[in-house]
Amino acid sequence: MTQLRGVGVRLSLALLLVVAAALGTVYVVVVPSLRTRLVDAKLSQLARAAPSVASQLPTNRFTWQDYVTVASASANARIIVYDVFSPPPTLSIYADSREVKSADVSDDAVALRALSALGHAGGIVTRGGERYAEAAVAGGPGGPVVLLTAPLHDSLANVALVRRRLLWSGFAALVGALALGIAGASHFARRIRRLERAADRIAGGDFGDTVHDPASDEVGELARAFERMRARLARLDHARGEFIANASHELRTPLFSLAGFLELLDDEELDEPTRLEFISTMRGQVDRLTKLATDLLDLSRLDAGRLRVDLQELDLNLLARTLVDEFRPRAAGRSLALVPRPDPAPALGDEQRVLQIGRILLENALTHTPAATGIEVRVDLRGEHALLAIADQGPGVPAAHAAHVFERFYRVDGPVASGSGLGLAIARELAELMGGSVLLEPGSWQVFTLRLPAGSSADAQPRGAGRLAAATS
């Protein structure tokens, strides 16, 4: 009974109503129209035959009976010839093709109308409970009047036969439509229920089973949309789990380290250089905790729409110098080379957020670039965009991961994977908040590029040509 509820019943009833409406329209329109056409055709036949019969009526009255007996066969109608007596004008049957002068037509209304009009008349009359089509012609004031009459029983019987067959055909069509509707609706309902069960599994956190429907209709498209959603949620759930593990590790390591150093600092015999070294190490661990907390706070503000940017015209050249100066000690400590080559590039953005994005990209390069290789900070103008790019000669992001590196919590597995997987996601969302974007351009140099709208004074500045010129200090 489950299959007979819900959308299946509604679809079946809808199909049933459509078929019933179509059949009802045919019954209401076609049957009366057919009846009218058949009656009119009979009247037209008699109306055409009556003048011919009247005009060929012999002048010898004694031969009229023989004439109408023969003529009735060709006219396919009963023929009666009346004498006219007056005053007042009355009809008297003189000849009848039945060869019996029946009183049923002695005062025929159509014949009397033809006599009254001294011309033609026609119509439908009822005698003995049966309907007849008639046509009459009056020869003049003194007669005679010729009447052709034919029963409509055969024509009306054909209409009744059509009506019965239409009713039976309609009933069969309704039953077939109902069965087809229930079968089709049940098929669709089963597919929809599969999607419902898949949605319940996904809502319950089970992302293991794929959502598959090979059809190319709307339900199939919906199933494919569910599958894309499932795959996306599965990736996010996996990334979330990894993030929790990574965040727990990121939090636990500095906290344990801080706790250990605090215990060591309680040692009264600790010499001053060692104490300073411990304090410096503790400061680094606090910085790690602060950065993680800051990343999470930025993400929560971005999600809540509470993070605001102050758009103003910036000089990316000056910001590139600032980044180079800030990171030069770290780069020098690892034998990395920052090669600044400036090119003026006015841009529209928020200075602090641009610096934040630059720090994220530089830290990413410093983390993943081997020692004794190059890192470049580049600026340029391309069309209506100002570019700040961080290029490095590291191993680069594998092609399989390139489409996901800007997703939250996403970390590339490997010996140099580190961090929470939030930096590039924050960089991209901050750039979009300023009307720009962050792009990954793989090649011999891996390049992460911040693209911002160019400032209003860009046309007055010299443009870089060819590949990006690097910023200089």
Side-chain angles (χ1 to χ4, degrees):
M1 293 301 293
T2 302
Q3 295 183 357
L4 300 180
R5 295 198 300 268
V7 66
V9 168
R10 288 195 291 271
L11 289 175
S12 302
L13 290 179
L15 180 59
L16 189 66
L17 288 176
V18 169
V19 174
L23 292 173
T25 301
V26 171
Y27 185 84
V28 171
V29 174
V30 172
V31 172
S33 175
L34 177 62
R35 180 191 186 99
T36 301
R37 286 177 179 272
L38 291 175
V39 171
D40 289 345
K42 195 64 176 179
L43 286 173
S44 298
Q45 174 197 344
L46 296 178
R48 289 192 302 269
S52 176
V53 172
S55 64
Q56 296 178 22
L57 194 66
T59 55
N60 186 353
R61 298 169 61 90
F62 296 105
T63 62
W64 284 2
Q65 181 62 49
D66 295 335
Y67 169 72
V68 298
T69 301
V70 175
S72 66
S74 59
N76 194 25
R78 178 184 175 187
I79 302 176
I80 302 100
V81 180
Y82 297 93
D83 269 333
V84 179
F85 299 96
S86 58
T90 57
L91 298 176
S92 175
I93 299 175
Y94 186 87
D96 189 339
S97 60
R98 279 188 178 180
E99 298 182 357
V100 177
K101 298 177 181 179
S102 303
D104 60 336
V105 293
S106 58
D107 295 319
D108 187 83
V110 174
L112 289 172
R113 285 205 310 271
L115 176 62
S116 175
L118 297 179
H120 300 269
I124 306 297
V125 298
T126 302
R127 293 193 300 270
E130 188 173 349
R131 303 184 71 191
Y132 293 84
E134 294 187 347
V137 178
V145 175
V146 177
L147 173 69
L148 276 69
T149 179
L152 292 174
H153 176 270
D154 292 341
S155 298
L156 298 179
N158 291 333
V159 174
L161 177 62
V162 170
R163 182 188 293 111
R164 286 194 301 273
R165 290 184 176 178
L166 183 61
L167 288 174
W168 279 110
S169 299
F171 177 76
L174 289 176
V175 172
L178 182 60
L180 181 63
I182 292 176
S186 298
H187 173 66
F188 275 99
R190 284 193 298 272
R191 296 169 62 193
I192 293 173
R193 280 194 296 274
R194 285 199 298 269
L195 291 181
E196 180 183 3
R197 289 192 294 269
D200 289 339
R201 290 197 306 271
I202 294 172
D206 180 5
F207 308 114
D209 294 333
T210 60
V211 182
H212 178 67
D213 192 315
S216 59
D217 56 10
E218 289 81 357
V219 178
E221 290 295 329
L222 180 61
R224 284 182 281 278
F226 265 84
E227 173 59 19
R228 291 192 295 270
M229 179 186 69
R230 183 204 64 81
R232 173 73 173 174
L233 290 175
R235 288 197 301 269
L236 289 177
D237 185 66
H238 178 70
R240 179 185 59 82
E242 288 191 341
F243 167 72
I244 292 175
N246 293 333
S248 300
H249 174 74
E250 291 290 325
L251 289 169
R252 183 174 61 251
T253 300
L255 287 175
F256 285 173
S257 178
L258 287 172
F261 282 119
L262 286 173
E263 290 182 6
L264 292 174
L265 287 175
D266 286 337
D267 187 354
E268 296 179 355
E269 300 179 358
L270 190 67
D271 60 276
E272 184 64 18
T274 304
R275 187 181 67 82
L276 293 176
E277 180 183 352
F278 286 173
I279 292 175
S280 176
T281 304
M282 292 170 65
R283 186 177 293 111
Q285 299 300 330
V286 171
D287 289 341
R288 288 179 62 185
L289 290 173
T290 302
K291 183 179 182 303
L292 180 60
T294 301
D295 287 347
L296 293 174
L297 181 60
D298 285 341
L299 282 178
S300 66
R301 288 175 176 173
L302 285 167
D303 288 338
R306 295 197 304 267
L307 197 149
R308 298 288 182 265
V309 294
D310 181 17
L311 297 180
Q312 56 185 332
E313 189 161 311
L314 308 171
D315 185 353
L316 287 187
N317 177 41
L318 295 179
L319 297 183
R321 291 170 182 255
T322 301
L323 290 170
V324 169
D325 291 339
E326 183 179 336
F327 280 84
R328 182 178 283 112
R330 287 184 55 187
R334 295 193 56 197
S335 300
L336 297 176
L338 292 175
V339 185
R341 299 175 189 168
D343 220 5
L348 190 64
D350 185 304
E351 179 177 349
Q352 295 305 315
R353 297 305 175 185
V354 172
L355 287 173
Q356 182 179 356
I357 294 172
R359 293 186 186 105
I360 291 172
L361 299 181
L362 267 172
E363 287 183 358
N364 184 70
L366 287 168
T367 301
H368 295 87
T369 303
T373 57
I375 296 178
E376 294 184 1
V377 180
R378 306 171 181 174
V379 293
D380 195 17
L381 287 173
R382 287 183 184 173
E384 299 180 352
H385 296 97
L387 308 178
L388 171 64
I390 309 299
D392 66 70
Q393 292 179 301
V397 177
H401 299 275
H404 306 294
V405 292
F406 293 105
E407 295 179 2
R408 296 183 182 189
F409 316 127
Y410 195 87
R411 298 171 69 250
V412 177
D413 296 329
V416 294
S418 64
S420 61
L422 298 177
L424 292 178
I426 292 174
R428 182 191 63 178
E429 296 192 34
L430 287 176
E432 292 175 351
L433 202 59
M434 294 185 289
S437 60
V438 178
L439 307 173
L440 171 60
E441 303 174 17
S444 58
W445 286 65
Q446 177 179 268
V447 183
F448 281 92
T449 303
L450 167 63
R451 183 170 63 179
L452 294 172
S456 59
S457 59
D459 292 336
Q461 303 293 337
R463 302 290 181 100
R467 74 174 262 208
L468 289 173
T472 62
S473 58

